[in-house]
Amino acid sequence: MSGFREAFLYVVILVLGSFLVAESAIGVNWGTVSFRKLKPSTVVDLLKDNNIEKVKLFDADPEALGALMGSGIQVMVGIPNEMLAAISSSTAVSDLWVRQNVSRYLVKGGVDIRYVAVGNEPFLTSYSGQFQSYVIPALLNLQQSLAKANLAGYVKLVVPCNADAYESSLPSQGTFRPELTEIITQLLSFLSSNGSPFVVNIYPFLSLYGSTDFPQDYAFFDGSTHPVTDGPNVYDNAFDGNFDTLVAALNKLGYGQMPIVIGEVGWPTDGAISANLTAAKAFNQGLIYHVLSNKGTPLRPGAPPMDVYIFSLLDEGAKSTLPGNFERHWGIFSFDGQAKYSLNLGLGNKELKNAKNVEYLPSRWCVADANKDLSGVTNHMRIACSVADCSTLNYGGSCNGIGAKGNISYAFNSYYQLQDQNAQSCDFDGLGMVTFLDPSVGDCRFLVGVTDTSSGFGPCPRWIMIWILMIWGLCVFLI
């Protein structure tokens, strides 16, 4: 009982402290869909060295949470969409999830978990409503589970929404999609009753990428030659226009004062014409200065978003490229924790600080042997790129212009590094050779892998966790 009292007292102190120091801040999304990941402890040190005090996870990875123990960093953990059905099925299932992923970490010297993201963009149009019916029941069950654990007053449940949940030709006319009106109204009622903000992901880059008619300068923060005039209000950047479209949509449902958190916003550095270092720096720096100026927007003057989570901290080389090759290049740091460009996060440091003590494989690369006939290399390249990340070779990518032999070498090396530089992985029927001279050309960087981060069995795969939750719920039901 004394341990319980100690934990409960710790949470009370945190709650009281949050009222005293709560303020808007810049945070980051820490995604882990990578072939080779930095050690979680290295990532946490990277966060601390850059004074980043808020981080958003897409799951409740025990390795990441273990590394965050005692860091003082405020954390949003996530529940993948695939788990919503099981969690919505019974409170026994949600109780188990809370015990395993919240209660065990939210102790003295533990992890400062502030939010649980219930799903990730579950109302996305492309999902065709497959997760929609689970959201509210999952929220209700999880809220009850948090209450049982005496955490409901501190840990807030949120549902990150994509900006496609609302629409309009002008910001002041913003409305939620008609088929979402009922469930969004239920969601807003829940959020309001429990003191939670509305979390939205806004991506001006995707608007530019998806439309040839979208004015490029409107995506940034230096003014636009194509501003949007909406009655007395003039919008010269897409972020403010999108944000106020949401504000108007919330107002129409009676929640015009609902606090808003930006769950994801950023700009990729590779894989598309508009995705490059210069544009990413201009967007992210402009965004940070804009938010921290407290200027707000025309519909919320002087009231910027509560928090803004930059997407993302690190590149994720194993993400799907179906939306575009840029998907693997959102990081403000490369996969190995090295800053891609200078950026002032407004958190004390004027420049980003690189990750320390990164463990690399030896400095060697696999390239095409120029003395061999490379005419039959196509199948080798296809196989290499089906396993490794070759997204920078495509149109608009940083390695697109390095020539045919360069493209072959890049594909070979990407595969070679992924195979921990195994000698056989650079054979390619005699067409590859190992070199100790860095073949990087200009902005096209030939990567050297980092050593594997995991020891033992690592975190429980997501599909196993889903089945555990479902079986647990079934057993409770049968009992």
Side-chain angles (χ1 to χ4, degrees):
M1 181 62 74
S2 60
F4 172 80
R5 287 175 179 169
E6 184 180 74
F8 180 70
L9 179 60
Y10 172 67
V11 171
V12 170
I13 292 171
L14 285 176
V15 173
L16 293 175
S18 69
F19 288 112
L20 298 176
V21 300
E23 58 182 17
S24 299
I26 302 296
V28 295
N29 285 268
W30 175 7
T32 57
V33 187
S34 300
F35 295 118
R36 282 289 183 264
K37 294 175 280 191
L38 292 178
K39 292 179 180 177
S41 59
T42 301
V43 177
V44 173
D45 286 341
L46 178 65
L47 294 170
K48 292 194 290 188
D49 287 345
N50 286 280
N51 299 323
I52 297 170
E53 298 179 347
K54 294 175 184 280
V55 66
K56 177 170 168 279
L57 307 177
F58 291 91
D59 50 24
D61 176 23
E63 290 191 347
L65 289 171
L68 286 162
M69 296 277 283
S71 67
I73 296 171
Q74 297 177 17
V75 180
M76 180 186 298
V77 296
I79 299 176
N81 291 329
E82 295 82 2
M83 290 188 182
L84 295 182
I87 289 175
S88 68
S89 65
S90 79
T91 54
V93 177
S94 60
D95 287 348
L96 175 63
W97 191 92
V98 167
R99 282 200 303 273
Q100 290 185 334
N101 302 293
V102 181
S103 301
R104 69 183 293 190
Y105 296 106
L106 197 52
V107 295
K108 185 178 180 180
V111 184
D112 188 5
I113 298 174
R114 298 293 184 99
Y115 296 104
V116 173
V118 182
N120 185 46
E121 300 183 342
F123 308 129
L124 197 64
T125 306
S126 59
Y127 290 150
S128 302
Q130 70 180 102
F131 303 114
Q132 194 166 311
S133 63
Y134 304 130
V135 173
I136 300 301
L139 283 171
L140 295 174
N141 284 349
L142 286 164
Q143 186 67 21
Q144 185 173 331
S145 298
L146 288 172
K148 290 178 185 176
N150 293 305
L151 297 174
Y154 187 65
V155 179
K156 303 299 181 182
L157 300 176
V158 296
V159 179
C161 291
N162 188 281
D164 82 343
Y166 47 90
E167 55 196 6
S168 101
S169 55
L170 292 173
S172 64
Q173 298 174 9
T175 57
F176 288 98
R177 298 198 326 256
E179 69 273 21
L180 294 180
T181 301
E182 182 178 354
I183 192 168
I184 291 292
T185 301
Q186 294 173 340
L187 172 60
L188 293 173
S189 176
F190 175 90
L191 298 176
S192 179
S193 298
N194 294 286
S196 297
F198 189 92
V199 178
V200 63
N201 302 337
I202 296 178
Y203 283 105
F205 169 80
L206 295 181
S207 299
L208 177 63
Y209 177 79
S211 173
T212 56
D213 296 328
F214 192 90
Q216 180 158 333
D217 59 2
Y218 188 62
F220 298 91
F221 295 89
D222 294 327
S224 174
T225 56
H226 301 81
V228 172
T229 300
D230 184 6
N233 299 322
V234 178
Y235 294 86
D236 62 7
N237 70 82
F239 179 84
D240 282 359
N242 194 306
F243 186 89
D244 274 3
T245 303
L246 171 59
V247 172
L250 291 170
N251 190 56
K252 288 180 175 61
L253 295 181
Y255 294 91
Q257 301 305 312
M258 171 73 67
I260 297 173
V261 165
I262 307 301
E264 297 177 27
V265 62
W267 200 279
T269 58
D270 214 328
I273 288 295
S274 301
N276 54 67
L277 296 172
T278 301
K281 177 182 178 179
F283 178 83
N284 282 330
Q285 194 64 81
L287 169 75
I288 291 165
Y289 286 157
H290 181 62
V291 170
L292 296 183
S293 72
N294 291 320
K295 179 182 177 182
T297 61
L299 294 187
R300 283 196 176 177
M306 280 180 61
D307 297 311
V308 175
Y309 292 87
I310 300 294
F311 190 86
S312 63
L313 180 65
L314 302 163
D315 279 352
E316 298 177 80
K319 288 187 70 176
S320 169
T321 57
L322 287 177
N325 291 303
F326 54 82
E327 275 297 320
R328 296 175 174 176
H329 305 281
W330 289 96
I332 57 177
F333 294 91
S334 52
F335 82 104
D336 53 352
Q338 307 307 297
K340 295 184 184 177
Y341 46 86
S342 60
L343 187 66
N344 182 352
L345 294 174
L347 303 174
N349 299 338
K350 293 185 178 180
E351 300 285 341
L352 296 176
K353 294 187 177 182
N354 294 332
K356 299 175 182 175
N357 304 316
V358 178
E359 299 174 7
Y360 289 94
L361 296 170
S363 294
R364 57 190 179 213
W365 298 261
C366 178
V367 296
D369 188 341
N371 296 317
K372 299 292 179 66
D373 178 9
L374 299 175
S375 59
V377 78
T378 303
N379 193 49
H380 291 299
M381 281 191 68
R382 181 184 62 79
I383 293 173
C385 291
S386 70
V387 177
D389 176 27
C390 298
S391 56
T392 61
L393 295 178
N394 293 284
Y395 181 66
S398 61
C399 299
N400 179 248
I402 62 174
K405 179 178 175 295
N407 288 347
I408 297 167
S409 294
Y410 188 91
F412 281 8
N413 184 65
S414 296
Y415 181 82
Y416 174 67
Q417 301 298 335
L418 189 58
Q419 303 302 318
D420 290 331
Q421 298 183 354
N422 180 288
Q424 292 182 339
S425 68
C426 187
D427 181 60
F428 297 104
D429 286 342
L431 301 181
M433 58 177 284
V434 174
T435 179
F436 295 91
L437 298 175
D438 187 350
S440 299
V441 181
D443 290 334
C444 178
R445 179 185 172 199
F446 279 60
L447 303 176
V448 172
V450 296
T451 56
D452 198 0
T453 65
S454 300
S455 58
F457 294 101
C460 180
R462 180 182 299 179
W463 67 269
I464 293 179
M465 179 59 72
I466 293 171
W467 274 105
I468 289 173
L469 291 171
M470 291 180 68
I471 292 171
W472 178 276
L474 178 60
C475 291
V476 170
F477 176 77
L478 292 176
I479 292 173

